[in-house]
Each structure stands twice: as C-alpha cells, then as structure tokens.
C-alpha cells in the first residue's frame, strides 16, 4: 500500500487505484514515454504512489500526447492524441469525480460515451424518429475535436465545477502539446482536445450539451435529435423546417467557434409508403455504421410496400472486407482451418453482435463474402479440387456438419 499523508487536493489512493483498474481494462498503447501498461505494472505500487502524490499535492503536470494517424474510410486520416499510461489514469481520476455531476445535466437524446447508454440505443432512437419525421438533417461538425474552443469549454466546466484543482488539471490537459513522429511539439493554441484522451469524450459532451442540445431543445421544440458524441441526426416535420433549422445551426456553431462540414451535411427525405416522392434531396444517410434508406419489403397482403429502415452501411462492409484481405490468410496454405477460425472468430463475433442487432439477415451478403474467401483458402490448401469453387464449398458444407461451432458465424447463420 502507498502512503497516507494528507494532501491539499482531495484525490485519494482509492480513486487512483480505481482509475488504474479502468485504464487497464481498456488497454491502449504507450504514450510519448513509450511506457506500456505492462511496463507500468512492473513497478505498479511505486508508479501509483508517485502519481497519487503528485495529483494530491497539485504538482502533477501531464506529458505531451503522442500523435498517431489512422486511416479513415474516405482515404483521409484521423489524428489521435495518445496520453501516457500515468496521464490516462490521472484523467480517469478526474472523469470519475466529475461524471456523476455532469450526467445529471445531460439530456436523454445524447448517447455517446455515457454510462448505461449505447450506440444501439442511439440507432434505435433514429429508427423510431424516421417513422414519425419525414425530414432529416444529416449533420457533420468539421474537425470538432481539433477545433473545440478552450475558453468556451472552460466556461462550461466552470458552470458546474467550483473546485479549482479540477479546473487546473483540465486546463493542463487541454494545453498539453502534441508530439509528432519526428519529435516536434505542436502547441494547442487555445483549441482542441485530443481524440484518445480519457476525459475528452466527457468534455466533448459537456461542450455540445450547451452548444447544441440545450439550444435545440429550447429553440426548436418541434424537432427531435439524436447525438452520439459529435455525430448528430436532427429530425424535422417539414422541408421548410429542415431548411430553417439547418441555417440556424450554422449560425449557432459559428457563435460557438465551430463549423459545419458542408460536404458531409445534407437534408434527407425519408420516403416510405405513407409519403409522396420528393425530388432534389438525398434519400439515405449513414449513422454509426448503419445506412438508413427506403427499402421494399413483402406485405402480408401480397406485393411490396416501402419502409424506411437501417442496415449495415456499405462503408462498414468495405472496411470489414478490407480487414480480411489484409490478414491474407486465404493465401496461407500452411495454416489449418482451426487456426483461421481462432484468428477471425473474435472479430466476427463483434461484427455480428453489433451490425446484426436489428436485422441479422442483412449480414448474409457479408457472410457469403467471407465464405467465398474461405473457399479460396481451401483451393490454395488442397490442390485436389483443381480450382473448383463448387467442390471447395462442398468441402466447407461437410465441415459445418461435422464441426458446426468451429466458426462463430456458422452457429448464427445455419445456411449461408
């Protein structure tokens, strides 16, 4: 156990221990000091003691965040800021301290990175709203995490947080520079909170609570909206209302020193069997990996009727398929099929549980693609099939009968 000396800042040893356990469960890569979780744990008690001592005395200063670029679906890159392990634990301490207080203020239609809230709940809310509202503003804030204004954010923090030590540490994290791959430091210059920081989602929710949630609720009582972090869908009753709200949002964001991404923001008409055709507007939009669009389904009376529903987006499917391609196991004739199953099953389970939540059948084309890739592995492994995909599929079908639980998706889709 580490020491018990009283300190001027009310950070307790148990707060640090609890924060460490959460950071450990979330894993994550090393920061600028190149210290991994495993390295931190090699001298765990001493490291936790040092962090507690500094946090509780007010002498804690964070290190720069490590800049990491990850590819986006559109070919561009998203820059993440990775704090050190110690800094992630420190941020978790303050997050745990503040979150119950701020949660009491946040609205029910905000779902991102909140206790007892989920992406599936947000998607279900959008699905319910498109049945009631014919028009959608598919909204994208340009570079939100890079451009969020520190002064406005600290004003929101100060509205709920009288404790000077909390505001001091939040300000230090906001001002902490980013270290690039070549070692150069990039100052924040009064804006930005790094994606990758433990406390960043909570601060983002607080900022957008005032910038949009409360404002929309007060100014436009007739609209509905669903927000997941900075991903926002606004539902309107009429075309005129959608246009008016969109223009007002542009002005509101400008007041809050933010911008709409004009290329990605659009008004969408949610056509279904009850609504006449409208020209000049988008017909579909994406939200959290799902595409919402009109689709015909069989009627109980025969024939088809048009509904407006969701299914896995093409972007999400392409990303998953590209991931399978990069694994390149279909060319690895040295692998056994059990080794392939062990490699892909955890990811496959995540895909099916997330994207198959509302309509499992919608994943069948993706599973057929995987089965085709599995057949390619069979043909590379067993030359006796002489390149015949039909023979490879027969072999896979027999394997399903003998070992029905080998691949996770075999247990879910009996006939792919």
């Amino acid at each position: 156990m580490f020491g018990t000396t009283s300190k001027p800042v009310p950070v307790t040893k148990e707060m640090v221990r609890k924060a460490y356990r959460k950071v450990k469960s979330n894993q994550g890569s090393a920061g600028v000091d190149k210290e991994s979780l495993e390295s931190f744990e090699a001298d765990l008690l001493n490291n936790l003691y040092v962090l507690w001592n500094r946090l509780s005395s007010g002498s804690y200063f964070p290190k720069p965040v490590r800049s990491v670029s990850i590819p986006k679906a559109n070919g561009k890159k998203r820059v993440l800021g990775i704090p050190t392990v110690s800094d992630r634990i420190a941020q978790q301490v303050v997050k745990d301290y503040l979150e119950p207080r701020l949660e009491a203020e946040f609205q029910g239609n905000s779902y991102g990175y909140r206790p007892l809230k989920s992406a599936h709940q947000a998607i279900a809310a959008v699905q319910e709203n498109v049945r009631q509202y014919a028009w959608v503003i598919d909204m994208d804030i340009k570079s939100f995490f890079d451009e969020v204004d520190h002064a406005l954010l600290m004003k929101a923090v100060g509205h709920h947080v009288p404790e000077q030590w909390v505001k001091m540490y939040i300000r230090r994290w906001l001002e902490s520079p980013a270290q690039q791959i070549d070692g150069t430091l990039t100052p924040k210059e009064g804006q930005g909170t790094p994606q990758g920081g433990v406390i960043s989602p909570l601060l983002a929710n607080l900022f957008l609570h005032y910038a949009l949630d409360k404002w929309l609720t007060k100014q436009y009582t007739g609209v509905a909206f669903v927000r997941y972090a900075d991903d926002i869908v606004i539902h309107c009753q009429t075309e005129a209302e959608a246009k008016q709200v969109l223009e007002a949002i542009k002005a509101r964001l400008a007041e809050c020193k933010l911008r709409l991404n004009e290329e990605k923001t659009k008004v969408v008409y949610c056509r279904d069997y009850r609504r006449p055709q409208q020209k000049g507007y988008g017909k579909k939009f994406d939200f959290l990996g799902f595409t919402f669009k009109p689709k015909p389904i069989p009627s109980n009376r025969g024939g088809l009727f048009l509904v407006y529903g969701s299914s896995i987006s093409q972007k999400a499917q392409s990303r998953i398929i590209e991931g399978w391609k990069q694994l390149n196991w279909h060319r690895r004739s040295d692998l056994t099929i059990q080794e392939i199953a062990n490699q892909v099953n955890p990811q496959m389970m995540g895909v099916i549980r997330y994207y198959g939540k509302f309509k499992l059948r919608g994943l069948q084309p993706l599973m057929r693609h995987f089965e085709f890739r599995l057949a390619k592995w069979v043909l590379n492994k067993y030359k006796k099939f002489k390149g015949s995909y039909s023979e490879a599929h027969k072999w896979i079908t027999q394997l399903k009968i003998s070992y029905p639980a080998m691949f996770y998706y075999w247990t879910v889709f009996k006939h792919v």
Side-chain angles (χ1 to χ4, degrees), residues 276-293:
Q277 188 170 354
Q278 290 273 355
K279 294 184 178 180
Y281 292 98
K283 298 179 180 179
K284 62 183 180 179
F285 64 94
D286 286 358
F287 183 64
L288 300 181
F290 287 78
T291 294
F292 289 79
K293 63 182 179 181

Side-chain angles (χ1 to χ4, degrees), residues 18-242:
K18 180 182 175 183
Y20 154 71
R21 288 192 290 268
K22 289 185 178 180
V23 168
K24 177 179 172 65
S25 68
N26 292 327
Q27 294 298 308
S29 57
V32 295
D33 60 0
K34 300 181 181 179
E35 183 178 47
S36 64
L37 262 170
E38 292 75 15
S39 300
F40 185 89
E41 290 169 338
D43 193 13
L44 180 60
L45 291 180
N46 182 60
N47 285 332
L48 291 180
Y49 173 81
V50 170
L51 180 58
W52 166 74
N53 191 38
R54 290 175 179 169
L55 280 171
S56 57
S57 66
S59 62
Y60 161 78
F61 285 87
K63 290 182 171 65
V65 296
R66 179 169 67 92
S67 285
V68 177
S69 297
I70 59 172
K72 296 169 68 173
N74 60 8
K76 297 181 180 179
K77 292 186 177 181
R78 174 181 288 112
V79 178
L80 300 182
I82 310 298
T84 66
V85 174
S86 290
D87 291 337
R88 293 207 297 275
I89 297 171
Q91 289 188 24
Q92 187 69 55
V93 167
V94 175
K95 181 187 176 187
D96 289 344
Y97 184 80
L98 283 186
E99 193 166 53
R101 189 185 311 179
L102 298 183
E103 272 294 311
E105 303 293 329
F106 293 159
Q107 298 188 3
N109 39 19
S110 163
Y111 293 87
Y113 306 104
R114 295 182 60 189
L116 306 179
K117 295 276 192 175
S118 71
H120 282 153
Q121 290 175 333
I123 295 159
V126 171
Q127 184 66 74
E128 179 61 30
N129 286 342
V130 295
R131 295 190 184 104
Q132 301 178 43
Y133 298 82
W135 297 85
V136 154
I137 301 171
D138 179 20
M139 180 178 151
D140 187 89
I141 300 176
K142 190 174 183 66
S143 305
F144 170 75
F145 282 91
D146 295 330
E147 297 186 4
V148 60
D149 184 77
H150 289 179
L152 290 176
L153 178 54
M154 290 308 301
K155 181 179 179 181
V157 170
H159 189 66
H160 299 281
V161 183
E163 297 93 335
Q164 292 300 319
W165 68 272
V166 175
K167 290 185 282 190
M168 175 181 70
Y169 286 145
I170 290 176
R171 193 174 290 107
R172 288 178 186 176
W173 287 318
L174 291 176
E175 293 172 354
S176 184
Q179 182 172 300
Q180 309 303 321
I181 295 176
D182 62 3
T184 58
L185 296 179
T186 304
K188 288 295 180 56
E189 298 180 345
Q191 62 180 17
T193 179
Q195 284 184 276
V198 171
I199 203 167
S200 293
L202 181 63
L203 296 178
N205 274 333
L206 178 62
F207 192 96
L208 289 172
H209 170 73
Y210 284 106
L212 278 174
D213 298 358
K214 286 194 72 173
W215 176 81
L216 273 170
T217 302
K218 181 178 179 181
Q219 298 294 326
Y220 295 95
T221 56
V223 308
F225 68 95
V226 175
R227 182 172 67 78
Y228 193 94
D230 62 333
D231 203 346
I232 306 155
V233 176
I234 300 170
H235 304 268
C236 301
Q237 294 284 5
T238 66
E239 175 186 5
E241 184 178 53

